[in-house]
Amino acid sequence: FNASDRLILLGDLINRGPDSAKVIRLARKSNALSLLGNHERRLLAARKNPDRVKVRGSEQATFDSLKPDDWRYLEGMALTHEIKELNTVFVHGGFLPNQPWREQTAEVVTEIQVIDREGNQRKRREDPDALPWADHWTGPPFVVYGHTPREDVYKLKWSICLDTACAMGGQLTAFILPERRIVQVKARKSYFP
């Protein structure tokens, strides 16, 4: 990685390791384009509506450690990032199939994991037999996403999941474009159970 590269982070920079504020500051220092994940969305909602969204357990340390520049960075996170010339879209969680991806809500694109039999988004724990949303996605565009930790990269014709459970002791995965090369680094330890 060097200054001429464009670093795109797929969200959930916070609440998965020992120093979320340091992660945000490193992303800012690297001039990374960071997408909104469900953890950032929840923390921003708690900051905006403290009476409606309570900060939970370990989130409090993150909440208390963030400085004004960190909050501005979080508030500036986009839901998606498109590279038209590569016919590729980046997102934290994913998309509902058969709906225009640009029109999907923050809840969908930051939370989706599987699609139930009725075509609704669910988390894996809510419907363990449901197929991943990506199994239903027929593209275009090609979608690069995270959110759903796996032991290895989950690559299909029209998508790739890069969440290889780094915070849980797995690997940190990068997807190098335009050549579509995968680079992985083993986590030093498990940071999150």
Side-chain angles (χ1 to χ4, degrees):
F1 179 72
N2 62 54
S4 66
D5 292 328
R6 180 66 165 153
L7 178 60
I8 301 171
L9 302 174
L10 300 177
D12 282 1
L13 279 64
I14 60 171
N15 300 335
R16 286 295 184 248
D19 195 341
S20 294
K22 188 173 182 179
V23 174
I24 295 296
R25 291 175 192 134
L26 181 59
R28 287 179 32 225
K29 183 179 178 183
S30 301
N31 200 28
L33 184 146
S34 296
L35 299 179
L36 188 72
N38 55 303
H39 289 271
E40 291 90 6
R41 189 169 68 87
R42 183 173 155 61
L43 205 65
L44 287 166
R47 185 170 190 238
K48 186 176 182 179
N49 299 303
D51 295 333
R52 292 181 52 211
V53 182
K54 300 295 181 199
V55 176
R56 300 182 292 208
S58 63
E59 294 175 332
Q60 189 65 52
T62 300
F63 198 92
D64 294 341
S65 68
L66 297 178
K67 305 287 186 227
D69 286 345
D70 302 327
W71 285 109
R72 279 191 286 282
Y73 188 79
L74 291 176
E75 290 164 351
M77 289 179 167
L79 285 178
T80 61
H81 178 71
E82 179 181 20
I83 301 178
K84 287 184 181 181
E85 59 271 19
L86 298 178
N87 196 24
T88 300
V89 172
F90 301 82
V91 66
H92 174 66
F95 300 113
L96 285 166
N98 304 318
Q99 293 184 20
W101 65 268
R102 287 182 181 93
E103 297 172 14
Q104 296 190 34
T105 66
E107 181 182 358
V108 169
V109 303
T110 63
E111 300 277 347
I112 193 169
Q113 290 180 328
V114 299
I115 305 288
D116 69 14
R117 288 194 172 121
E118 289 77 40
N120 300 308
Q121 75 166 32
R122 295 282 181 247
K123 293 198 174 282
R124 288 185 295 187
R125 70 177 179 270
E126 296 170 343
D127 193 344
D129 297 325
L131 292 174
W133 72 268
D135 287 16
H136 301 272
W137 187 257
T138 57
F142 185 80
V143 180
V144 180
Y145 68 103
H147 181 57
T148 306
R150 300 171 177 276
E151 286 186 32
D152 203 0
V153 169
Y154 189 63
K155 186 170 186 323
L156 300 171
K157 179 179 180 181
W158 288 104
S159 64
I160 186 168
C161 179
L162 301 181
D163 189 338
T164 47
C166 180
M168 294 120 186
Q171 299 191 69
L172 181 63
T173 300
F175 188 54
I176 313 297
L177 293 171
E179 63 265 27
R180 293 186 173 207
R181 184 168 50 97
I182 295 170
V183 176
Q184 294 181 304
V185 177
K186 177 78 175 130
R188 290 186 182 130
K189 64 180 185 176
S190 178
Y191 299 93
F192 187 82

PDB file of all heavy atoms in Angstrom, residues 120-144:
ATOM      1  N   ASN A 120     -37.199 -11.621   2.319  1.00  0.00           N
ATOM      2  CA  ASN A 120     -36.846 -10.589   3.282  1.00  0.00           C
ATOM      3  C   ASN A 120     -35.420 -10.770   3.783  1.00  0.00           C
ATOM      4  O   ASN A 120     -34.937 -11.894   3.899  1.00  0.00           O
ATOM      5  CB  ASN A 120     -37.792 -10.645   4.490  1.00  0.00           C
ATOM      6  CG  ASN A 120     -39.230 -10.434   4.079  1.00  0.00           C
ATOM      7  OD1 ASN A 120     -39.557  -9.477   3.402  1.00  0.00           O
ATOM      8  ND2 ASN A 120     -40.091 -11.353   4.488  1.00  0.00           N
ATOM      9  N   GLN A 121     -34.788  -9.660   4.135  1.00  0.00           N
ATOM     10  CA  GLN A 121     -33.450  -9.739   4.711  1.00  0.00           C
ATOM     11  C   GLN A 121     -33.524 -10.274   6.131  1.00  0.00           C
ATOM     12  O   GLN A 121     -34.462  -9.992   6.869  1.00  0.00           O
ATOM     13  CB  GLN A 121     -32.785  -8.380   4.709  1.00  0.00           C
ATOM     14  CG  GLN A 121     -33.322  -7.435   5.770  1.00  0.00           C
ATOM     15  CD  GLN A 121     -32.425  -6.236   5.956  1.00  0.00           C
ATOM     16  OE1 GLN A 121     -31.799  -5.781   5.021  1.00  0.00           O
ATOM     17  NE2 GLN A 121     -32.371  -5.713   7.156  1.00  0.00           N
ATOM     18  N   ARG A 122     -32.513 -11.040   6.501  1.00  0.00           N
ATOM     19  CA  ARG A 122     -32.415 -11.578   7.846  1.00  0.00           C
ATOM     20  C   ARG A 122     -30.940 -11.678   8.218  1.00  0.00           C
ATOM     21  O   ARG A 122     -30.069 -11.670   7.360  1.00  0.00           O
ATOM     22  CB  ARG A 122     -33.020 -12.987   7.932  1.00  0.00           C
ATOM     23  CG  ARG A 122     -34.502 -13.034   7.676  1.00  0.00           C
ATOM     24  CD  ARG A 122     -35.281 -12.566   8.898  1.00  0.00           C
ATOM     25  NE  ARG A 122     -36.696 -12.645   8.647  1.00  0.00           N
ATOM     26  CZ  ARG A 122     -37.492 -11.591   8.557  1.00  0.00           C
ATOM     27  NH1 ARG A 122     -37.019 -10.384   8.682  1.00  0.00           N
ATOM     28  NH2 ARG A 122     -38.771 -11.731   8.334  1.00  0.00           N
ATOM     29  N   LYS A 123     -30.704 -11.835   9.518  1.00  0.00           N
ATOM     30  CA  LYS A 123     -29.376 -12.188   9.996  1.00  0.00           C
ATOM     31  C   LYS A 123     -29.291 -13.718  10.000  1.00  0.00           C
ATOM     32  O   LYS A 123     -30.320 -14.395  10.088  1.00  0.00           O
ATOM     33  CB  LYS A 123     -29.145 -11.633  11.400  1.00  0.00           C
ATOM     34  CG  LYS A 123     -29.088 -10.117  11.416  1.00  0.00           C
ATOM     35  CD  LYS A 123     -28.438  -9.644  12.701  1.00  0.00           C
ATOM     36  CE  LYS A 123     -28.243  -8.153  12.660  1.00  0.00           C
ATOM     37  NZ  LYS A 123     -27.103  -7.752  11.870  1.00  0.00           N
ATOM     38  N   ARG A 124     -28.075 -14.239   9.905  1.00  0.00           N
ATOM     39  CA  ARG A 124     -27.919 -15.701   9.876  1.00  0.00           C
ATOM     40  C   ARG A 124     -28.546 -16.359  11.098  1.00  0.00           C
ATOM     41  O   ARG A 124     -29.163 -17.420  10.987  1.00  0.00           O
ATOM     42  CB  ARG A 124     -26.440 -16.087   9.796  1.00  0.00           C
ATOM     43  CG  ARG A 124     -25.819 -15.803   8.451  1.00  0.00           C
ATOM     44  CD  ARG A 124     -24.410 -16.309   8.377  1.00  0.00           C
ATOM     45  NE  ARG A 124     -23.558 -15.583   9.315  1.00  0.00           N
ATOM     46  CZ  ARG A 124     -22.247 -15.714   9.381  1.00  0.00           C
ATOM     47  NH1 ARG A 124     -21.627 -16.544   8.576  1.00  0.00           N
ATOM     48  NH2 ARG A 124     -21.542 -15.019  10.240  1.00  0.00           N
ATOM     49  N   ARG A 125     -28.406 -15.736  12.269  1.00  0.00           N
ATOM     50  CA  ARG A 125     -28.947 -16.348  13.493  1.00  0.00           C
ATOM     51  C   ARG A 125     -30.483 -16.377  13.496  1.00  0.00           C
ATOM     52  O   ARG A 125     -31.081 -17.198  14.177  1.00  0.00           O
ATOM     53  CB  ARG A 125     -28.413 -15.640  14.729  1.00  0.00           C
ATOM     54  CG  ARG A 125     -28.935 -14.244  14.939  1.00  0.00           C
ATOM     55  CD  ARG A 125     -28.412 -13.626  16.252  1.00  0.00           C
ATOM     56  NE  ARG A 125     -28.901 -12.293  16.428  1.00  0.00           N
ATOM     57  CZ  ARG A 125     -28.303 -11.198  15.996  1.00  0.00           C
ATOM     58  NH1 ARG A 125     -27.153 -11.287  15.354  1.00  0.00           N
ATOM     59  NH2 ARG A 125     -28.836 -10.012  16.195  1.00  0.00           N
ATOM     60  N   GLU A 126     -31.113 -15.479  12.743  1.00  0.00           N
ATOM     61  CA  GLU A 126     -32.575 -15.444  12.676  1.00  0.00           C
ATOM     62  C   GLU A 126     -33.140 -16.534  11.773  1.00  0.00           C
ATOM     63  O   GLU A 126     -34.268 -16.991  11.984  1.00  0.00           O
ATOM     64  CB  GLU A 126     -33.049 -14.082  12.158  1.00  0.00           C
ATOM     65  CG  GLU A 126     -32.718 -12.932  13.064  1.00  0.00           C
ATOM     66  CD  GLU A 126     -32.983 -11.575  12.420  1.00  0.00           C
ATOM     67  OE1 GLU A 126     -33.123 -11.484  11.175  1.00  0.00           O
ATOM     68  OE2 GLU A 126     -33.041 -10.593  13.172  1.00  0.00           O
ATOM     69  N   ASP A 127     -32.373 -16.922  10.757  1.00  0.00           N
ATOM     70  CA  ASP A 127     -32.830 -17.935   9.805  1.00  0.00           C
ATOM     71  C   ASP A 127     -31.616 -18.713   9.307  1.00  0.00           C
ATOM     72  O   ASP A 127     -31.114 -18.473   8.211  1.00  0.00           O
ATOM     73  CB  ASP A 127     -33.584 -17.276   8.644  1.00  0.00           C
ATOM     74  CG  ASP A 127     -34.346 -18.278   7.801  1.00  0.00           C
ATOM     75  OD1 ASP A 127     -34.072 -19.494   7.894  1.00  0.00           O
ATOM     76  OD2 ASP A 127     -35.227 -17.846   7.028  1.00  0.00           O
ATOM     77  N   PRO A 128     -31.116 -19.656  10.112  1.00  0.00           N
ATOM     78  CA  PRO A 128     -29.888 -20.366   9.778  1.00  0.00           C
ATOM     79  C   PRO A 128     -29.942 -21.161   8.476  1.00  0.00           C
ATOM     80  O   PRO A 128     -28.897 -21.479   7.898  1.00  0.00           O
ATOM     81  CB  PRO A 128     -29.656 -21.300  10.966  1.00  0.00           C
ATOM     82  CG  PRO A 128     -30.665 -20.984  11.987  1.00  0.00           C
ATOM     83  CD  PRO A 128     -31.674 -20.058  11.392  1.00  0.00           C
ATOM     84  N   ASP A 129     -31.144 -21.478   7.998  1.00  0.00           N
ATOM     85  CA  ASP A 129     -31.266 -22.249   6.761  1.00  0.00           C
ATOM     86  C   ASP A 129     -31.362 -21.375   5.516  1.00  0.00           C
ATOM     87  O   ASP A 129     -31.307 -21.883   4.391  1.00  0.00           O
ATOM     88  CB  ASP A 129     -32.488 -23.163   6.831  1.00  0.00           C
ATOM     89  CG  ASP A 129     -32.365 -24.198   7.931  1.00  0.00           C
ATOM     90  OD1 ASP A 129     -31.231 -24.670   8.185  1.00  0.00           O
ATOM     91  OD2 ASP A 129     -33.399 -24.530   8.553  1.00  0.00           O
ATOM     92  N   ALA A 130     -31.500 -20.076   5.703  1.00  0.00           N
ATOM     93  CA  ALA A 130     -31.633 -19.170   4.556  1.00  0.00           C
ATOM     94  C   ALA A 130     -30.294 -19.022   3.839  1.00  0.00           C
ATOM     95  O   ALA A 130     -29.221 -19.116   4.448  1.00  0.00           O
ATOM     96  CB  ALA A 130     -32.137 -17.808   5.016  1.00  0.00           C
ATOM     97  N   LEU A 131     -30.375 -18.747   2.544  1.00  0.00           N
ATOM     98  CA  LEU A 131     -29.163 -18.576   1.738  1.00  0.00           C
ATOM     99  C   LEU A 131     -28.623 -17.151   1.870  1.00  0.00           C
ATOM    100  O   LEU A 131     -29.393 -16.208   2.048  1.00  0.00           O
ATOM    101  CB  LEU A 131     -29.470 -18.853   0.267  1.00  0.00           C
ATOM    102  CG  LEU A 131     -29.804 -20.302  -0.095  1.00  0.00           C
ATOM    103  CD1 LEU A 131     -30.220 -20.389  -1.558  1.00  0.00           C
ATOM    104  CD2 LEU A 131     -28.630 -21.224   0.197  1.00  0.00           C
ATOM    105  N   PRO A 132     -27.307 -16.996   1.752  1.00  0.00           N
ATOM    106  CA  PRO A 132     -26.722 -15.647   1.762  1.00  0.00           C
ATOM    107  C   PRO A 132     -27.335 -14.796   0.649  1.00  0.00           C
ATOM    108  O   PRO A 132     -27.687 -15.305  -0.420  1.00  0.00           O
ATOM    109  CB  PRO A 132     -25.238 -15.896   1.485  1.00  0.00           C
ATOM    110  CG  PRO A 132     -24.991 -17.311   1.874  1.00  0.00           C
ATOM    111  CD  PRO A 132     -26.287 -18.035   1.601  1.00  0.00           C
ATOM    112  N   TRP A 133     -27.448 -13.498   0.915  1.00  0.00           N
ATOM    113  CA  TRP A 133     -28.014 -12.594  -0.083  1.00  0.00           C
ATOM    114  C   TRP A 133     -27.251 -12.707  -1.398  1.00  0.00           C
ATOM    115  O   TRP A 133     -27.839 -12.615  -2.475  1.00  0.00           O
ATOM    116  CB  TRP A 133     -28.025 -11.143   0.419  1.00  0.00           C
ATOM    117  CG  TRP A 133     -26.651 -10.545   0.450  1.00  0.00           C
ATOM    118  CD1 TRP A 133     -25.779 -10.535   1.499  1.00  0.00           C
ATOM    119  CD2 TRP A 133     -25.975  -9.907  -0.633  1.00  0.00           C
ATOM    120  NE1 TRP A 133     -24.599  -9.939   1.138  1.00  0.00           N
ATOM    121  CE2 TRP A 133     -24.702  -9.541  -0.168  1.00  0.00           C
ATOM    122  CE3 TRP A 133     -26.306  -9.609  -1.953  1.00  0.00           C
ATOM    123  CZ2 TRP A 133     -23.753  -8.902  -0.973  1.00  0.00           C
ATOM    124  CZ3 TRP A 133     -25.385  -8.969  -2.753  1.00  0.00           C
ATOM    125  CH2 TRP A 133     -24.119  -8.620  -2.263  1.00  0.00           C
ATOM    126  N   ALA A 134     -25.947 -12.918  -1.319  1.00  0.00           N
ATOM    127  CA  ALA A 134     -25.104 -12.961  -2.527  1.00  0.00           C
ATOM    128  C   ALA A 134     -25.459 -14.141  -3.429  1.00  0.00           C
ATOM    129  O   ALA A 134     -25.263 -14.069  -4.643  1.00  0.00           O
ATOM    130  CB  ALA A 134     -23.631 -13.013  -2.139  1.00  0.00           C
ATOM    131  N   ASP A 135     -25.995 -15.211  -2.845  1.00  0.00           N
ATOM    132  CA  ASP A 135     -26.410 -16.350  -3.652  1.00  0.00           C
ATOM    133  C   ASP A 135     -27.591 -15.995  -4.558  1.00  0.00           C
ATOM    134  O   ASP A 135     -27.839 -16.670  -5.553  1.00  0.00           O
ATOM    135  CB  ASP A 135     -26.803 -17.528  -2.759  1.00  0.00           C
ATOM    136  CG  ASP A 135     -25.606 -18.199  -2.115  1.00  0.00           C
ATOM    137  OD1 ASP A 135     -24.509 -17.613  -2.087  1.00  0.00           O
ATOM    138  OD2 ASP A 135     -25.774 -19.339  -1.618  1.00  0.00           O
ATOM    139  N   HIS A 136     -28.306 -14.942  -4.213  1.00  0.00           N
ATOM    140  CA  HIS A 136     -29.458 -14.482  -5.001  1.00  0.00           C
ATOM    141  C   HIS A 136     -29.079 -13.362  -5.970  1.00  0.00           C
ATOM    142  O   HIS A 136     -29.869 -13.015  -6.837  1.00  0.00           O
ATOM    143  CB  HIS A 136     -30.564 -13.960  -4.075  1.00  0.00           C
ATOM    144  CG  HIS A 136     -31.076 -14.962  -3.109  1.00  0.00           C
ATOM    145  ND1 HIS A 136     -32.106 -15.831  -3.401  1.00  0.00           N
ATOM    146  CD2 HIS A 136     -30.710 -15.245  -1.831  1.00  0.00           C
ATOM    147  CE1 HIS A 136     -32.351 -16.600  -2.348  1.00  0.00           C
ATOM    148  NE2 HIS A 136     -31.517 -16.256  -1.384  1.00  0.00           N
ATOM    149  N   TRP A 137     -27.917 -12.756  -5.771  1.00  0.00           N
ATOM    150  CA  TRP A 137     -27.515 -11.572  -6.553  1.00  0.00           C
ATOM    151  C   TRP A 137     -27.023 -12.007  -7.924  1.00  0.00           C
ATOM    152  O   TRP A 137     -26.069 -12.762  -8.040  1.00  0.00           O
ATOM    153  CB  TRP A 137     -26.414 -10.815  -5.808  1.00  0.00           C
ATOM    154  CG  TRP A 137     -26.046  -9.517  -6.440  1.00  0.00           C
ATOM    155  CD1 TRP A 137     -24.937  -9.257  -7.202  1.00  0.00           C
ATOM    156  CD2 TRP A 137     -26.775  -8.294  -6.392  1.00  0.00           C
ATOM    157  NE1 TRP A 137     -24.927  -7.957  -7.623  1.00  0.00           N
ATOM    158  CE2 TRP A 137     -26.062  -7.346  -7.132  1.00  0.00           C
ATOM    159  CE3 TRP A 137     -27.971  -7.919  -5.796  1.00  0.00           C
ATOM    160  CZ2 TRP A 137     -26.501  -6.031  -7.287  1.00  0.00           C
ATOM    161  CZ3 TRP A 137     -28.411  -6.620  -5.945  1.00  0.00           C
ATOM    162  CH2 TRP A 137     -27.684  -5.698  -6.686  1.00  0.00           C
ATOM    163  N   THR A 138     -27.669 -11.489  -8.970  1.00  0.00           N
ATOM    164  CA  THR A 138     -27.305 -11.889 -10.329  1.00  0.00           C
ATOM    165  C   THR A 138     -26.594 -10.795 -11.097  1.00  0.00           C
ATOM    166  O   THR A 138     -26.319 -10.966 -12.287  1.00  0.00           O
ATOM    167  CB  THR A 138     -28.562 -12.347 -11.105  1.00  0.00           C
ATOM    168  OG1 THR A 138     -29.524 -11.292 -11.113  1.00  0.00           O
ATOM    169  CG2 THR A 138     -29.163 -13.596 -10.477  1.00  0.00           C
ATOM    170  N   GLY A 139     -26.308  -9.663 -10.418  1.00  0.00           N
ATOM    171  CA  GLY A 139     -25.547  -8.588 -11.049  1.00  0.00           C
ATOM    172  C   GLY A 139     -26.167  -8.110 -12.335  1.00  0.00           C
ATOM    173  O   GLY A 139     -27.224  -8.578 -12.732  1.00  0.00           O
ATOM    174  N   PRO A 140     -25.507  -7.243 -13.061  1.00  0.00           N
ATOM    175  CA  PRO A 140     -24.436  -6.417 -12.525  1.00  0.00           C
ATOM    176  C   PRO A 140     -24.986  -5.367 -11.563  1.00  0.00           C
ATOM    177  O   PRO A 140     -26.182  -5.177 -11.540  1.00  0.00           O
ATOM    178  CB  PRO A 140     -23.840  -5.774 -13.777  1.00  0.00           C
ATOM    179  CG  PRO A 140     -24.944  -5.757 -14.786  1.00  0.00           C
ATOM    180  CD  PRO A 140     -25.830  -6.932 -14.441  1.00  0.00           C
ATOM    181  N   PRO A 141     -24.148  -4.739 -10.795  1.00  0.00           N
ATOM    182  CA  PRO A 141     -22.695  -4.722 -10.789  1.00  0.00           C
ATOM    183  C   PRO A 141     -22.118  -5.853  -9.931  1.00  0.00           C
ATOM    184  O   PRO A 141     -22.845  -6.549  -9.215  1.00  0.00           O
ATOM    185  CB  PRO A 141     -22.381  -3.372 -10.129  1.00  0.00           C
ATOM    186  CG  PRO A 141     -23.497  -3.187  -9.158  1.00  0.00           C
ATOM    187  CD  PRO A 141     -24.711  -3.767  -9.847  1.00  0.00           C
ATOM    188  N   PHE A 142     -20.799  -5.999 -10.018  1.00  0.00           N
ATOM    189  CA  PHE A 142     -20.054  -6.864  -9.128  1.00  0.00           C
ATOM    190  C   PHE A 142     -20.000  -6.164  -7.772  1.00  0.00           C
ATOM    191  O   PHE A 142     -19.743  -4.970  -7.700  1.00  0.00           O
ATOM    192  CB  PHE A 142     -18.637  -7.091  -9.682  1.00  0.00           C
ATOM    193  CG  PHE A 142     -17.841  -8.082  -8.888  1.00  0.00           C
ATOM    194  CD1 PHE A 142     -18.033  -9.437  -9.071  1.00  0.00           C
ATOM    195  CD2 PHE A 142     -16.909  -7.655  -7.955  1.00  0.00           C
ATOM    196  CE1 PHE A 142     -17.296 -10.364  -8.334  1.00  0.00           C
ATOM    197  CE2 PHE A 142     -16.171  -8.566  -7.220  1.00  0.00           C
ATOM    198  CZ  PHE A 142     -16.365  -9.924  -7.412  1.00  0.00           C
ATOM    199  N   VAL A 143     -20.263  -6.899  -6.677  1.00  0.00           N
ATOM    200  CA  VAL A 143     -20.348  -6.302  -5.348  1.00  0.00           C
ATOM    201  C   VAL A 143     -19.213  -6.826  -4.457  1.00  0.00           C
ATOM    202  O   VAL A 143     -19.021  -8.036  -4.339  1.00  0.00           O
ATOM    203  CB  VAL A 143     -21.708  -6.603  -4.680  1.00  0.00           C
ATOM    204  CG1 VAL A 143     -21.784  -5.979  -3.294  1.00  0.00           C
ATOM    205  CG2 VAL A 143     -22.861  -6.115  -5.557  1.00  0.00           C
ATOM    206  N   VAL A 144     -18.484  -5.887  -3.847  1.00  0.00           N
ATOM    207  CA  VAL A 144     -17.442  -6.202  -2.871  1.00  0.00           C
ATOM    208  C   VAL A 144     -18.013  -5.815  -1.510  1.00  0.00           C
ATOM    209  O   VAL A 144     -18.410  -4.670  -1.308  1.00  0.00           O
ATOM    210  CB  VAL A 144     -16.144  -5.424  -3.160  1.00  0.00           C
ATOM    211  CG1 VAL A 144     -15.072  -5.765  -2.128  1.00  0.00           C
ATOM    212  CG2 VAL A 144     -15.644  -5.699  -4.579  1.00  0.00           C
TER     213      VAL A 144
END
